[in-house]
Amino acid sequence: MTFIISELSNQWAGSNSVLNATLLQSVMCGADAAKVQLYGDDWNKSRLNSVGKDYLSLSYGLFNQFREMARNYNIIPMASPLDEERLSWILEDKSSI
């Protein structure tokens, strides 16, 4: 059986609407899961776009929005945490363990 993971990573460029649209496109293309990177604060300070906006970071609230929207679309939300705080965001959600 094939299991398709759609890597959203930086494709959303810091825009909530692009993140939502990209997730929906993943669903429409048949992905079983969608994955984001959870960069830590230190990583993000050096990764600002031309107008000074952090284009990599998902806030805790936006990460939870991503998880809920993925579940509403019957797609598995996944994430790669890059620090202990972001790991705790994943571990606190007992439904995903």
Side-chain angles (χ1 to χ4, degrees), residues 1-73:
M1 179 172 112
T2 302
F3 188 85
I4 300 169
I5 301 172
S6 176
E7 174 63 69
L8 305 185
S9 189
N10 308 351
Q11 312 331 334
W12 65 286
S15 167
N16 298 359
S17 61
V18 173
L19 179 63
N20 295 339
T22 306
L23 179 58
L24 181 56
Q25 289 170 349
S26 299
V27 171
M28 292 167 53
C29 289
D32 299 295
K35 182 176 161 287
V36 295
Q37 303 287 338
L38 296 176
Y39 295 98
D41 292 331
D42 291 340
W43 175 275
N44 296 328
K45 288 177 185 170
S46 64
R47 304 284 192 255
L48 302 178
N49 66 16
S50 61
V51 293
K53 182 174 178 164
D54 176 355
Y55 67 95
L56 294 176
S57 181
L58 279 174
S59 67
Y60 178 73
L62 186 55
F63 175 60
N64 282 324
Q65 247 183 302
F66 161 75
R67 282 197 289 206
E68 285 305 309
M69 194 162 80
R71 290 180 179 138
N72 288 338
Y73 287 135

